[in-house]
Structure formats: structure tokens, C-alpha cells
Amino acid sequence: MVATDRVYQLIAEHTTDLVCIHDLENTIRFATPSSKSILGFSSDDIIGRRLTDFLAPEFVSEMDFSTLTRFFDHPGSRIRYQVRHGNSNRLRWLESTFSRIEEGNKKYSLLSSTRDITESVHLTDDLMNALSTEQQLSRFKSNLYSVASHEFKTPLAVIQANIEMLKIKKSPKVIDMGLESMEEEIDRLNSMIADMLQLKKLTMGKTTLKLEDLSLMAIMEDVVKNDCTKAFPKINTTLSIAKGEECTVRGDYSLVRYIFSNLMVNACKFSKDNTRVKVSIAFEDNFAKIRIEDQGIGIPKEDQASIFTSFYRATNVSNIQGTGVGLSIVKEFVDLHKGKISFESSPGKGSTFFIELPYTLDI
């Protein structure tokens, strides 16, 4: 048989964990050679020191040091902590366990076993990130299915109902009413499909800017006239320049018009008849600052963090038409123009959206 001392020596030389024996003051009196891989120092270099001497300053700054150190001399404890590996700037996560040593002369107090858990910590982070992404994807799919089953199904049902009616009654009045109703629903379907295609182009990175000098007032006047006044004749819309003289803004006409149209239509759509939607544009500090304020239903606080997420609809929209895609596209279009968008909203009191677009744009 191999002598007992030789067995202990073989174990000490080949164990991958760092095993240390500490005295009554928690000072290291023996350390296995694996200290080089675990701490970045040879066993001779750590004799006479404590494990707490190797704690990373970043880790210590986030902890109560006096409380933390008590775990390093408490039998039966297990602690995870960060160290700087050797004299490098590489941070490593370690885990140490401590057990009491019963010696007749009371010369030694604790035995510690330490292992490097950096990879497993990173793996845990990766798994958590993957789980979060999967949960977001699941919610995205759920919202998409909800839109597909409701928002697309409804206009198709209206069209089908009108077709059945026209099969039975073919008077000029019924035909005109049926055709008008079907045209409205087809326009609605085309609008939703266009949004879906726009979203697809954005997610695939295929949206490119066709830059030209734009008059924001002219675009907004066109939106108010053709997208709002006709569709929402009972909403009072006002448009004004709040500050400065109008300046042209470098941007993509179709994308900027989409931004204005979506926000304005939403403001009208979620407002009651005979209420007001106010639009003001200020030109200052090399930015055009657009403010769109309505007196509509507002956005519940619990929905506000997700309002720019694709296929997300606020919980108070009831049966008001919409796919939940438009605002996510608006946010992407504003970002493409290196602008900013934000909002303030209170349920029952309305919403105000703020957009900033720079005069010039380098891409």
C-alpha cells in the first residue's frame, strides 16, 4: 500500500480545487498547488495571507465588508465572491466552503475548499437571458395570434356578410351601402398588411432612408386633412408653430409621414367625439420638436413600459380597432432619423406624445 503521507501529497498535488488550512486567525498556513489556477498566485505566495485579501475591490464596494468577512471564518458556511486573478484585471467568481478542524493542540482552526465557478455563473446568466428572450418571444407570438384571429377576422366577416346580403337584395341602395362597407374593410385590411410588411422590413434590416428636405408643417397639414378630418370629422384638430421659424428637416418623406399619421390617427381614434387634438411644432436648438396632445382614454400605467412593443395593445382599448404594430414602427422610424420619442399619459385624461427630429441627418 502507498504510505498515507504519500496519498495526501498526491491528492494535494492533483486536486483542481484550492484546499487551504487556516490557523486561529484565519491565516492560510497550507495551500495546494491549484492556488495558481484558482487565485493566480502560487501556494507559497498565499501562505500567511487570508482569502479576503484577494477580494476584488468592485465586489467589496457593493458589500458590507465587516459582515462579509464573518463568512470566511464560520464553519459550515458557503460563500460566493469575486477576485482579481493574480495581478491581472480579470475578474473571477469563486465559491468557498469551510469546515472546522479538530486538533488536539488547537493550532489549526479551519479547512477551506475553493473552486472557480466563473463559467457556471456566466452560464446561469446566459440561461436567464435565453429564458427572458424565450418568454418575450412567447408573448410576441401570443399577441400575434390574437391580432391575426381578431383584427383580420373581423373585416373578413364584414365583407362576407355584405356579400351574402347582396346575394339576397340587389337594390341600388343596398348595393351602394354594401360596396362602401366592403371598400372600408378592404382599406383596413390593406393598412394592416402594409404595417405587417413594414415591420418585416424593419426586423430584417431592409428599411433604407431616402433623404430629402422636408416641411414638417406641410406633412402634418396633409395628415390632418386626409387622415384625420375625413375619418374623424367630430374631432377638433388644431395645428400651430409653437416656437421659432419653420426650418426644413432632412429625412425620409414616407417614414416621417407614417410617424405623424400613426400618432395623429391614434390620438383621434382613442378620443371621444367633440374633444380636441392639439398639434404644435417648435423649431429650436437644431431640432424640430413635435407635440401631439389628445383628451382620449389614456394609457394605463401598467401598459406604458410595453407600448412600443410589437403587437402589444393596452388593456383599456376594448373593441377599438388596431393591431398593436403601429407604435413599434413609429419608434423604429424615429430611431432611424436619430430622433427621440416619449410620452406622458393618464387614464381617462389623455396622452401627449413628444417627438424630436434633428434638422440634419448623417447616415
mmCIF file of all heavy atoms in Angstrom, residues 128-154:
data_model
loop_
_atom_site.group_PDB
_atom_site.id
_atom_site.type_symbol
_atom_site.label_atom_id
_atom_site.label_comp_id
_atom_site.label_asym_id
_atom_site.label_seq_id
_atom_site.Cartn_x
_atom_site.Cartn_y
_atom_site.Cartn_z
ATOM 1 N N MET A 128 -30.531 32.644 -18.096
ATOM 2 C CA MET A 128 -31.564 33.599 -17.698
ATOM 3 C C MET A 128 -31.906 34.534 -18.852
ATOM 4 O O MET A 128 -33.077 34.852 -19.084
ATOM 5 C CB MET A 128 -31.088 34.406 -16.485
ATOM 6 C CG MET A 128 -30.966 33.586 -15.201
ATOM 7 S SD MET A 128 -32.530 32.808 -14.716
ATOM 8 C CE MET A 128 -33.499 34.243 -14.298
ATOM 9 N N ASN A 129 -30.875 34.971 -19.586
ATOM 10 C CA ASN A 129 -31.129 35.829 -20.739
ATOM 11 C C ASN A 129 -31.911 35.078 -21.808
ATOM 12 O O ASN A 129 -32.816 35.631 -22.437
ATOM 13 C CB ASN A 129 -29.808 36.342 -21.331
ATOM 14 C CG ASN A 129 -29.119 37.334 -20.416
ATOM 15 O OD1 ASN A 129 -29.765 38.001 -19.615
ATOM 16 N ND2 ASN A 129 -27.812 37.436 -20.520
ATOM 17 N N ALA A 130 -31.525 33.806 -22.013
ATOM 18 C CA ALA A 130 -32.232 32.992 -23.005
ATOM 19 C C ALA A 130 -33.679 32.776 -22.588
ATOM 20 O O ALA A 130 -34.595 32.827 -23.419
ATOM 21 C CB ALA A 130 -31.527 31.646 -23.182
ATOM 22 N N LEU A 131 -33.879 32.552 -21.286
ATOM 23 C CA LEU A 131 -35.237 32.357 -20.780
ATOM 24 C C LEU A 131 -36.064 33.623 -20.969
ATOM 25 O O LEU A 131 -37.220 33.572 -21.385
ATOM 26 C CB LEU A 131 -35.201 31.964 -19.308
ATOM 27 C CG LEU A 131 -36.565 31.791 -18.615
ATOM 28 C CD1 LEU A 131 -37.366 30.698 -19.298
ATOM 29 C CD2 LEU A 131 -36.375 31.465 -17.140
ATOM 30 N N SER A 132 -35.449 34.769 -20.666
ATOM 31 C CA SER A 132 -36.150 36.040 -20.827
ATOM 32 C C SER A 132 -36.527 36.255 -22.287
ATOM 33 O O SER A 132 -37.638 36.685 -22.601
ATOM 34 C CB SER A 132 -35.273 37.190 -20.335
ATOM 35 O OG SER A 132 -35.881 38.430 -20.563
ATOM 36 N N THR A 133 -35.583 35.947 -23.196
ATOM 37 C CA THR A 133 -35.854 36.095 -24.624
ATOM 38 C C THR A 133 -36.972 35.169 -25.061
ATOM 39 O O THR A 133 -37.852 35.547 -25.838
ATOM 40 C CB THR A 133 -34.574 35.802 -25.434
ATOM 41 O OG1 THR A 133 -33.548 36.715 -25.043
ATOM 42 C CG2 THR A 133 -34.835 35.951 -26.930
ATOM 43 N N GLU A 134 -36.938 33.936 -24.552
ATOM 44 C CA GLU A 134 -37.972 32.965 -24.901
ATOM 45 C C GLU A 134 -39.338 33.417 -24.393
ATOM 46 O O GLU A 134 -40.353 33.273 -25.089
ATOM 47 C CB GLU A 134 -37.616 31.598 -24.305
ATOM 48 C CG GLU A 134 -38.578 30.473 -24.686
ATOM 49 C CD GLU A 134 -38.568 30.163 -26.170
ATOM 50 O OE1 GLU A 134 -37.537 30.429 -26.812
ATOM 51 O OE2 GLU A 134 -39.585 29.680 -26.681
ATOM 52 N N GLN A 135 -39.360 33.986 -23.188
ATOM 53 C CA GLN A 135 -40.627 34.486 -22.647
ATOM 54 C C GLN A 135 -41.151 35.656 -23.479
ATOM 55 O O GLN A 135 -42.353 35.757 -23.739
ATOM 56 C CB GLN A 135 -40.433 34.914 -21.194
ATOM 57 C CG GLN A 135 -40.224 33.745 -20.239
ATOM 58 C CD GLN A 135 -39.846 34.199 -18.852
ATOM 59 O OE1 GLN A 135 -39.271 35.274 -18.669
ATOM 60 N NE2 GLN A 135 -40.151 33.378 -17.861
ATOM 61 N N GLN A 136 -40.239 36.531 -23.906
ATOM 62 C CA GLN A 136 -40.647 37.655 -24.749
ATOM 63 C C GLN A 136 -41.189 37.143 -26.086
ATOM 64 O O GLN A 136 -42.182 37.654 -26.610
ATOM 65 C CB GLN A 136 -39.465 38.594 -24.985
ATOM 66 C CG GLN A 136 -39.024 39.350 -23.742
ATOM 67 C CD GLN A 136 -37.769 40.161 -23.984
ATOM 68 O OE1 GLN A 136 -37.304 40.294 -25.107
ATOM 69 N NE2 GLN A 136 -37.200 40.707 -22.922
ATOM 70 N N LEU A 137 -40.507 36.120 -26.652
ATOM 71 C CA LEU A 137 -40.946 35.549 -27.918
ATOM 72 C C LEU A 137 -42.320 34.910 -27.758
ATOM 73 O O LEU A 137 -43.175 35.023 -28.634
ATOM 74 C CB LEU A 137 -39.932 34.517 -28.407
ATOM 75 C CG LEU A 137 -40.249 33.824 -29.741
ATOM 76 C CD1 LEU A 137 -40.354 34.856 -30.857
ATOM 77 C CD2 LEU A 137 -39.177 32.792 -30.068
ATOM 78 N N SER A 138 -42.529 34.235 -26.614
ATOM 79 C CA SER A 138 -43.816 33.600 -26.360
ATOM 80 C C SER A 138 -44.926 34.643 -26.300
ATOM 81 O O SER A 138 -46.010 34.450 -26.868
ATOM 82 C CB SER A 138 -43.760 32.801 -25.053
ATOM 83 O OG SER A 138 -45.015 32.235 -24.754
ATOM 84 N N ARG A 139 -44.661 35.759 -25.596
ATOM 85 C CA ARG A 139 -45.657 36.829 -25.521
ATOM 86 C C ARG A 139 -45.902 37.442 -26.898
ATOM 87 O O ARG A 139 -47.033 37.768 -27.261
ATOM 88 C CB ARG A 139 -45.197 37.907 -24.535
ATOM 89 C CG ARG A 139 -45.295 37.481 -23.072
ATOM 90 C CD ARG A 139 -45.146 38.690 -22.160
ATOM 91 N NE ARG A 139 -43.822 39.262 -22.229
ATOM 92 C CZ ARG A 139 -42.814 38.918 -21.432
ATOM 93 N NH1 ARG A 139 -42.985 37.987 -20.509
ATOM 94 N NH2 ARG A 139 -41.647 39.497 -21.549
ATOM 95 N N PHE A 140 -44.807 37.580 -27.671
ATOM 96 C CA PHE A 140 -44.911 38.134 -29.023
ATOM 97 C C PHE A 140 -45.821 37.259 -29.882
ATOM 98 O O PHE A 140 -46.710 37.744 -30.575
ATOM 99 C CB PHE A 140 -43.512 38.218 -29.638
ATOM 100 C CG PHE A 140 -43.489 38.750 -31.050
ATOM 101 C CD1 PHE A 140 -43.417 40.111 -31.288
ATOM 102 C CD2 PHE A 140 -43.531 37.885 -32.135
ATOM 103 C CE1 PHE A 140 -43.392 40.608 -32.582
ATOM 104 C CE2 PHE A 140 -43.506 38.364 -33.430
ATOM 105 C CZ PHE A 140 -43.426 39.725 -33.661
ATOM 106 N N LYS A 141 -45.596 35.927 -29.822
ATOM 107 C CA LYS A 141 -46.417 35.003 -30.600
ATOM 108 C C LYS A 141 -47.865 35.053 -30.153
ATOM 109 O O LYS A 141 -48.779 35.028 -30.978
ATOM 110 C CB LYS A 141 -45.872 33.576 -30.462
ATOM 111 C CG LYS A 141 -44.549 33.342 -31.175
ATOM 112 C CD LYS A 141 -44.075 31.904 -30.955
ATOM 113 C CE LYS A 141 -42.769 31.639 -31.693
ATOM 114 N NZ LYS A 141 -42.292 30.254 -31.441
ATOM 115 N N SER A 142 -48.070 35.109 -28.834
ATOM 116 C CA SER A 142 -49.431 35.153 -28.306
ATOM 117 C C SER A 142 -50.161 36.395 -28.799
ATOM 118 O O SER A 142 -51.320 36.329 -29.225
ATOM 119 C CB SER A 142 -49.402 35.128 -26.774
ATOM 120 O OG SER A 142 -50.699 35.243 -26.244
ATOM 121 N N ASN A 143 -49.472 37.544 -28.755
ATOM 122 C CA ASN A 143 -50.075 38.783 -29.235
ATOM 123 C C ASN A 143 -50.348 38.730 -30.735
ATOM 124 O O ASN A 143 -51.370 39.217 -31.213
ATOM 125 C CB ASN A 143 -49.170 39.974 -28.918
ATOM 126 C CG ASN A 143 -49.082 40.254 -27.434
ATOM 127 O OD1 ASN A 143 -49.983 39.903 -26.684
ATOM 128 N ND2 ASN A 143 -48.003 40.873 -26.994
ATOM 129 N N LEU A 144 -49.412 38.113 -31.475
ATOM 130 C CA LEU A 144 -49.579 37.988 -32.920
ATOM 131 C C LEU A 144 -50.796 37.138 -33.257
ATOM 132 O O LEU A 144 -51.607 37.490 -34.119
ATOM 133 C CB LEU A 144 -48.317 37.381 -33.542
ATOM 134 C CG LEU A 144 -48.394 37.039 -35.041
ATOM 135 C CD1 LEU A 144 -48.716 38.278 -35.861
ATOM 136 C CD2 LEU A 144 -47.091 36.414 -35.506
ATOM 137 N N TYR A 145 -50.939 35.997 -32.569
ATOM 138 C CA TYR A 145 -52.083 35.127 -32.822
ATOM 139 C C TYR A 145 -53.391 35.850 -32.494
ATOM 140 O O TYR A 145 -54.396 35.675 -33.184
ATOM 141 C CB TYR A 145 -51.970 33.848 -31.994
ATOM 142 C CG TYR A 145 -50.781 32.991 -32.339
ATOM 143 C CD1 TYR A 145 -50.182 32.161 -31.391
ATOM 144 C CD2 TYR A 145 -50.234 33.014 -33.628
ATOM 145 C CE1 TYR A 145 -49.079 31.388 -31.713
ATOM 146 C CE2 TYR A 145 -49.132 32.245 -33.950
ATOM 147 C CZ TYR A 145 -48.553 31.434 -32.984
ATOM 148 O OH TYR A 145 -47.463 30.675 -33.305
ATOM 149 N N SER A 146 -53.372 36.652 -31.417
ATOM 150 C CA SER A 146 -54.565 37.392 -31.030
ATOM 151 C C SER A 146 -54.960 38.383 -32.112
ATOM 152 O O SER A 146 -56.132 38.514 -32.469
ATOM 153 C CB SER A 146 -54.327 38.121 -29.706
ATOM 154 O OG SER A 146 -55.435 38.915 -29.371
ATOM 155 N N VAL A 147 -53.962 39.076 -32.662
ATOM 156 C CA VAL A 147 -54.225 40.040 -33.735
ATOM 157 C C VAL A 147 -54.757 39.329 -34.976
ATOM 158 O O VAL A 147 -55.739 39.747 -35.588
ATOM 159 C CB VAL A 147 -52.927 40.823 -34.073
ATOM 160 C CG1 VAL A 147 -53.100 41.586 -35.382
ATOM 161 C CG2 VAL A 147 -52.584 41.786 -32.955
ATOM 162 N N ALA A 148 -54.076 38.223 -35.335
ATOM 163 C CA ALA A 148 -54.470 37.502 -36.549
ATOM 164 C C ALA A 148 -55.887 36.963 -36.438
ATOM 165 O O ALA A 148 -56.653 36.977 -37.406
ATOM 166 C CB ALA A 148 -53.489 36.366 -36.808
ATOM 167 N N SER A 149 -56.251 36.478 -35.244
ATOM 168 C CA SER A 149 -57.561 35.858 -35.074
ATOM 169 C C SER A 149 -58.684 36.879 -34.948
ATOM 170 O O SER A 149 -59.832 36.578 -35.246
ATOM 171 C CB SER A 149 -57.558 34.949 -33.835
ATOM 172 O OG SER A 149 -57.349 35.712 -32.665
ATOM 173 N N HIS A 150 -58.359 38.092 -34.516
ATOM 174 C CA HIS A 150 -59.410 39.091 -34.296
ATOM 175 C C HIS A 150 -59.390 40.205 -35.335
ATOM 176 O O HIS A 150 -60.370 40.417 -36.057
ATOM 177 C CB HIS A 150 -59.279 39.689 -32.897
ATOM 178 C CG HIS A 150 -60.366 40.668 -32.563
ATOM 179 N ND1 HIS A 150 -60.222 42.018 -32.802
ATOM 180 C CD2 HIS A 150 -61.610 40.494 -32.052
ATOM 181 C CE1 HIS A 150 -61.332 42.638 -32.435
ATOM 182 N NE2 HIS A 150 -62.186 41.741 -31.976
ATOM 183 N N GLU A 151 -58.261 40.908 -35.427
ATOM 184 C CA GLU A 151 -58.206 42.087 -36.283
ATOM 185 C C GLU A 151 -58.353 41.751 -37.764
ATOM 186 O O GLU A 151 -58.878 42.549 -38.532
ATOM 187 C CB GLU A 151 -56.908 42.854 -36.034
ATOM 188 C CG GLU A 151 -56.801 43.431 -34.627
ATOM 189 C CD GLU A 151 -57.933 44.396 -34.305
ATOM 190 O OE1 GLU A 151 -58.406 45.073 -35.229
ATOM 191 O OE2 GLU A 151 -58.344 44.455 -33.138
ATOM 192 N N PHE A 152 -57.863 40.577 -38.190
ATOM 193 C CA PHE A 152 -58.026 40.196 -39.587
ATOM 194 C C PHE A 152 -59.364 39.496 -39.824
ATOM 195 O O PHE A 152 -59.944 39.590 -40.903
ATOM 196 C CB PHE A 152 -56.869 39.288 -40.031
ATOM 197 C CG PHE A 152 -55.594 40.029 -40.266
ATOM 198 C CD1 PHE A 152 -54.661 40.163 -39.258
ATOM 199 C CD2 PHE A 152 -55.333 40.614 -41.489
ATOM 200 C CE1 PHE A 152 -53.489 40.862 -39.459
ATOM 201 C CE2 PHE A 152 -54.162 41.315 -41.710
ATOM 202 C CZ PHE A 152 -53.234 41.446 -40.700
ATOM 203 N N LYS A 153 -59.815 38.801 -38.816
ATOM 204 C CA LYS A 153 -61.064 38.060 -38.954
ATOM 205 C C LYS A 153 -62.270 38.993 -39.051
ATOM 206 O O LYS A 153 -63.212 38.744 -39.820
ATOM 207 C CB LYS A 153 -61.235 37.114 -37.765
ATOM 208 C CG LYS A 153 -62.462 36.231 -37.845
ATOM 209 C CD LYS A 153 -62.515 35.302 -36.637
ATOM 210 C CE LYS A 153 -63.760 34.416 -36.675
ATOM 211 N NZ LYS A 153 -63.816 33.514 -35.497
ATOM 212 N N THR A 154 -62.248 40.075 -38.296
ATOM 213 C CA THR A 154 -63.397 40.983 -38.256
ATOM 214 C C THR A 154 -63.726 41.596 -39.612
ATOM 215 O O THR A 154 -64.877 41.514 -40.069
ATOM 216 C CB THR A 154 -63.169 42.088 -37.206
ATOM 217 O OG1 THR A 154 -62.991 41.472 -35.927
ATOM 218 C CG2 THR A 154 -64.348 43.035 -37.155
#
